[in-house]
Amino acid sequence: MSETASEKKENVQRESMEYDVVIVGAGPAGLSAAIRLKQLDADLSVVVLEKGSEVGAHILSGAVLDPVGLKKLFPDFETMSGCPVKTKVKEDKLYIFGPAGSFRLPNFLMPPLMHNDGNYIVSMASTCRWMAEQAEGLGVEIFPGMSCSELVYREDGSLKGVVAGEFGKQKDGSEGAGYEPGMELHGKYVFLSEGARGSLSQKAIAKYGLDADCQPPKFGLGMKEIWDIDPEKHSVGTVVHSAGWPLGMKQGGGSFLYHAENNQVFLGLIVDLNYKNPYLYPYAEFQKWKTHPDIAELLKGGKRVSYGGRVVTKGGIQSVPKVCFPGGALLGCTAGLVNLPRIKGNHNAMLSGIAAADAAYNALQTGRQGDELVDYDDELHNGLIGDDLRPVRNVAPLNAKFGPFLGGMILGGMDMWAATIAKFNIFGTLKHAKDDALSTEPKDKHKPIDYPKPDGVLTFDRLTNVSFTATNHREDEPGHLKLIDSSIPIDVNLPVYDEPAQRYCPAGVYEVVRDDDGSNPRFQINAQNCIHCKTCDLKDPSKNIVWTVPEGGGGPNYSNM
């Protein structure tokens, strides 16, 4: 009798390595935790595992950085050698876009928390690479290209470690000639800092019931391009945000445009994934946004040099799960720490890493291991992160119910002003009605949307832009995008929703292909295009797609995002 898949899995022999703390993900949260641990005790053994080919390869963010977290780690970061955080915000603008013009909202109408005084325009990929250099200088071990595919538990059910570096499986899941089973990396504590919708983090949340007392998580899809523009149009340090066209005043989302150094602008559109119309095409909305007269004129004569996409958390503090569990903790965007109206989460990611490190250090000093870091959970909710998220907690649900102008700006603005002046939210704590997948309505309730064709100069098709992400996956590796039921895309999603996976994916991974006469529809997954944005794991109306981690080193290779 042949072995079952589960028996084969149990019989895999792996070597193991022991550490004080194992950290999954070399983003701002994971690196901050690693740095803090070594600052507290140089003798602690700390390892960071990163699935990207190098640190920063999978990092995508706007980004305007509030330096509060970075200052906690490095009070003199501005004068440290090689630090890429140097472009201070000089001007802050917020616009309402219409199809042919725009209206600028006066800055004095915005609550102080919305202002960007003292913040920096940064590439978070570059910032994380620099942070990794600082971490390694302190003795942290960092292993890029190491996907963590499984969680490892102690006999008492606490988290013991992870399996990392499994390579060489063939497309059918069998072990190829060069198969490497990977290693088990064990820690007295394990930090999961995988970013939004982390695959291992979802397993931990489910196993330990961490989301039992919180609202459903909410997300937006952020798409970004970097452009070299005419130096005469460049205004280093200028920050521009907009709402309205092309999404309109009912669909949540908005744009960002940041004037970085070297005559570059970082620009993009975030589309809230709670949209109802299955015909909405987020990537096409982004390209259409660039045709607005204000944006088109700025980019005229310029050149797009990078593209990427990633989901961002937007549920607010009411969607943050319990962040500690036996043997481990959730850090950064894995826990959902983005401040939606500020469009910032990197500072909270860093603060969460620092807080988790402090809690783990204190526990290790008293001989503890494998238990719950309750002090971390308390600090996250009641310290600087909680103070940042509580005043803005109603913006997302108000956005969802009344749209970004009436809900987010007017009612949300009133609520934030009350929280700023009177220290209370006039709406209390609003709830989220449903998760983003369940927000999708049948196609019969909506009309198809006619999007203009890309011109190849200002606007581009998806596959052309994906080529600017340097995405790569081994051709014969197992597909990491799993269908729970392979019949659902054609039998359910196509007739009911016109299979929205064709549109919500910003990389063209999912297609419905047909014979020449239009018959015989088939669902095709082009997994090699995947840029690891996680949208499919969140927006499929049948919740039929599960994003799993591919081999280490695969996916996008962002250089400066």
Side-chain angles (χ1 to χ4, degrees):
M1 182 180 293
S2 62
E3 292 180 305
T4 66
S6 61
E7 287 171 336
K8 287 182 179 180
K9 186 174 180 179
E10 290 174 1
N11 290 334
V12 170
Q13 298 298 313
R14 295 187 174 99
E15 296 182 3
S16 64
M17 297 178 67
E18 304 292 328
Y19 291 89
D20 289 312
V21 180
V22 174
I23 300 173
V24 180
L31 291 170
S32 294
I35 290 167
R36 181 68 158 195
L37 285 164
K38 297 296 280 189
Q39 288 175 335
L40 292 168
D41 186 346
D43 292 329
L44 289 177
S45 57
V46 181
V47 65
V48 179
L49 304 166
E50 166 57 40
K51 67 181 172 68
S53 60
E54 64 174 354
V55 173
H58 290 177
I59 296 293
L60 185 144
S61 185
V64 172
L65 177 67
D66 179 339
V68 59
L70 194 58
K71 282 182 178 178
K72 272 184 165 285
L73 292 173
F74 304 112
D76 58 345
F77 73 87
E78 291 175 294
T79 61
M80 293 178 67
S81 176
C83 180
V85 182
K86 56 188 179 183
T87 304
K88 284 190 174 181
V89 175
K90 295 180 180 178
E91 189 173 17
D92 213 352
K93 302 177 181 180
L94 175 61
Y95 289 92
I96 302 296
F97 273 10
S102 60
F103 171 73
R104 181 178 177 183
L105 293 177
N107 284 15
F108 70 83
L109 292 178
M110 296 185 289
L113 63 86
M114 294 284 288
H115 297 180
N116 279 303
D117 300 332
N119 296 331
Y120 293 78
I121 297 172
V122 301
S123 156
M124 282 309 299
S126 298
T127 301
C128 286
R129 277 190 284 270
W130 178 80
M131 291 178 68
E133 292 174 2
Q134 309 314 304
E136 289 179 321
L138 292 169
V140 175
E141 296 181 40
I142 301 178
F143 298 137
M146 294 286 278
S147 288
C148 298
S149 53
E150 298 177 37
L151 298 174
V152 179
Y153 302 98
R154 297 181 179 88
E155 290 185 3
D156 64 2
S158 62
L159 184 59
K160 181 180 183 180
V162 296
V163 174
E166 187 175 22
F167 288 95
K169 283 190 174 181
Q170 301 183 103
K171 211 169 188 65
D172 63 0
S174 63
E175 298 171 6
Y179 174 72
E180 294 289 341
M183 296 186 65
E184 290 189 7
L185 290 96
H186 301 161
K188 295 172 182 174
Y189 293 100
V190 179
F191 293 167
L192 302 178
S193 54
E194 303 173 284
R197 199 65 174 186
S199 51
L200 293 185
S201 303
Q202 293 306 303
K203 294 180 180 179
I205 289 170
K207 178 177 177 63
Y208 298 108
L210 303 180
D211 58 353
D213 298 320
C214 68
Q215 291 289 297
K218 305 292 287 183
F219 297 87
L221 170 58
M223 296 153 289
K224 175 183 176 181
E225 292 176 355
I226 299 177
W227 281 66
D228 292 332
I229 66 168
D230 184 342
E232 293 186 1
K233 300 177 183 179
H234 190 253
S235 178
V236 65
T238 296
V239 167
V240 181
H241 292 111
S242 80
W245 188 90
L247 294 174
M249 289 305 178
K250 293 184 179 181
Q251 170 56 41
S255 78
F256 61 89
L257 193 153
Y258 306 146
H259 289 251
E261 59 266 21
N262 301 321
N263 297 316
Q264 285 193 329
V265 290
F266 304 160
L267 56 90
L269 185 72
I270 299 174
V271 179
D272 292 356
L273 290 179
N274 63 356
Y275 62 82
K276 298 177 181 179
N277 186 349
Y279 292 113
L280 192 140
Y281 185 177
Y283 176 85
E285 296 285 347
F286 172 36
Q287 297 304 301
K288 187 177 180 181
W289 169 79
K290 290 188 295 176
T291 67
H292 187 276
D294 291 11
I295 307 303
E297 177 58 32
L298 178 72
L299 300 181
K300 186 177 180 180
K303 180 183 179 182
R304 167 222 42 191
V305 296
S306 294
Y307 165 73
R310 187 72 167 89
V311 296
V312 296
T313 62
K314 55 178 287 291
I317 197 166
Q318 58 267 57
S319 291
V320 175
K322 184 179 179 182
V323 294
C324 68
F325 52 90
L330 306 178
L331 276 56
C333 282
T334 289
L337 306 182
V338 169
N339 183 312
L340 172 63
R342 296 184 72 196
I343 319 180
K344 291 179 181 63
N346 292 304
H347 64 300
N348 284 336
M350 292 180 180
L351 290 171
S352 73
I354 293 168
D358 288 346
Y361 168 75
N362 291 334
L364 293 170
Q365 289 297 104
T366 60
R368 291 163 46 200
Q369 63 174 303
D371 60 351
E372 293 193 33
L373 297 173
V374 177
D375 289 349
Y376 166 53
D377 192 79
D378 290 342
E379 172 62 25
L380 188 147
H381 284 88
N382 300 315
L384 292 175
I385 297 173
D387 291 345
D388 185 64
L389 295 180
R390 269 189 296 276
V392 304
R393 62 183 181 262
N394 292 321
V395 173
L398 286 169
N399 248 335
K401 188 169 185 178
F402 299 109
F405 185 68
L406 174 59
M409 291 189 180
I410 296 179
L411 297 178
M414 291 168 52
D415 199 55
M416 287 187 287
W417 269 113
T420 300
I421 297 172
K423 307 302 179 186
F424 78 95
N425 291 81
I426 58 178
F427 295 108
T429 300
L430 299 177
K431 297 182 178 181
H432 300 302
K434 59 185 74 172
D435 66 30
D436 294 323
L438 297 179
S439 297
T440 313
E441 294 181 344
K443 66 180 185 180
D444 293 344
K445 292 186 176 183
H446 300 274
K447 295 180 179 179
I449 302 173
D450 184 24
Y451 290 101
K453 292 183 178 180
D455 62 16
V457 178
L458 178 64
T459 59
F460 311 96
D461 65 82
R462 279 186 297 188
L463 295 185
T464 298
N465 248 352
V466 169
S467 70
F468 280 75
T469 68
T471 294
N472 180 62
H473 296 90
R474 182 168 59 87
E475 288 187 7
D476 58 346
E477 71 179 71
H480 62 282
L481 304 165
K482 311 291 188 183
L483 298 179
I484 297 173
D485 183 338
S486 61
S487 69
I488 282 179
I490 300 303
D491 293 348
V492 178
N493 285 359
L494 186 61
V496 178
Y497 305 102
D498 194 44
E499 186 44 87
Q502 303 174 90
R503 291 173 291 278
Y504 61 59
C505 174
V509 168
Y510 302 101
E511 291 183 277
V512 175
V513 296
R514 304 172 186 265
D515 292 344
D516 291 341
D517 61 0
S519 65
N520 191 26
R522 303 174 299 283
F523 192 62
Q524 180 169 298
I525 301 177
N526 306 307
Q528 68 276 12
N529 291 354
C530 179
I531 58 175
H532 298 197
C533 74
K534 312 290 182 68
T535 305
C536 56
D537 199 277
L538 295 162
K539 189 56 179 172
D540 183 74
S542 299
K543 299 186 179 183
N544 189 49
I545 301 176
V546 179
W547 194 98
T548 63
V549 66
E551 280 190 1
N557 283 278
Y558 298 133
S559 60
N560 196 34
M561 298 294 269

